[in-house]
Amino acid sequence: MPNAAALTDSKSGQLHIALATWIFLLADAGHLPDDAGVAAAVQALRDAPDDADPDALGGVLVEAVAARMGSGERLADITDFLGALFGPDHFTTQLGEDRAGRIQLARRHQFASNLPWLVRIIDRFPGRPVGAHWLLVERVDDQVVCMDPYPWDDLDEQYSQPTIEFMVKWELAGCEGVRFQV
């Protein structure tokens, strides 16, 4: 289990936690990671009995992801890591040239695969300054449904915001993101 003090130091935008959640969801959709430690942690979560501690099992998956990926948070670090787990042809960072194109591609992706995708946005956090934040995007229509899969913070793990508001926050962060291609 990750050190609880370290987990609460940075309350949002934990890349390893977002990646671990995404990897679990990809595995649940039949896309298994090609790494023994990460795959074993995913399987332990999937096979856990009802009385198991999901935080502890999730912490093992986060640790496996962090051990395999390291501390890099650049988009190239993320795509290299994901490419090593699933193959480089399964991911794209080409998410549209302009706002209308990005919305269109997001909706097309959602229709084709219904899988979340990873983005970095600029956001304001309760009691903290504005900053970069990694999260998963679940749906894009008139609202964007986001997943902040960090259970120890003061933000809802799933929340919606108007599409235009999301797009501005994403554009402020440089429109960085990664989608899984089926």
Side-chain angles (χ1 to χ4, degrees), residues 7-55:
L7 288 173
T8 57
D9 287 344
S10 176
K11 292 188 169 236
S12 304
Q14 294 284 327
L15 177 58
H16 293 138
I17 293 172
L19 283 169
T21 302
W22 194 25
I23 289 166
F24 179 83
L25 293 171
L26 289 173
D28 209 39
H31 309 287
L32 302 175
D34 187 20
D35 177 88
V38 174
V42 166
Q43 198 60 44
L45 266 168
R46 292 173 85 184
D47 295 343
D50 290 341
D51 62 345
D53 180 0
D55 284 345

Side-chain angles (χ1 to χ4, degrees), residues 126-142:
R128 291 195 13 226
V130 172
H133 176 67
W134 288 102
L135 54 80
L136 297 172
V137 173
E138 294 184 90
R139 295 198 60 76
V140 178
D141 44 42
D142 60 330

Side-chain angles (χ1 to χ4, degrees), residues 108-120:
R108 184 179 303 153
H109 168 77
Q110 176 181 304
F111 181 75
S113 73
N114 206 31
L115 291 170
W117 42 288
L118 181 74
V119 299
R120 184 193 318 236

Side-chain angles (χ1 to χ4, degrees), residues 77-119:
D77 299 327
I78 295 166
T79 56
D80 289 348
F81 167 71
L82 292 170
L85 287 184
F86 297 97
D89 295 337
H90 287 291
F91 293 92
T92 184
T93 58
Q94 303 302 313
L95 306 177
E97 297 298 317
D98 58 17
R99 185 176 288 176
R102 286 186 287 276
I103 292 171
Q104 180 182 22
L105 283 175
R107 289 177 177 159
R108 184 179 303 153
H109 168 77
Q110 176 181 304
F111 181 75
S113 73
N114 206 31
L115 291 170
W117 42 288
L118 181 74
V119 299

Side-chain angles (χ1 to χ4, degrees), residues 1-10 14 17 59-60 62-63 150 152:
M1 170 94 174
N3 178 325
L7 288 173
T8 57
D9 287 344
S10 176
Q14 294 284 327
I17 293 172
V60 171
V62 171
E63 287 176 352
Y150 188 64
W152 300 278

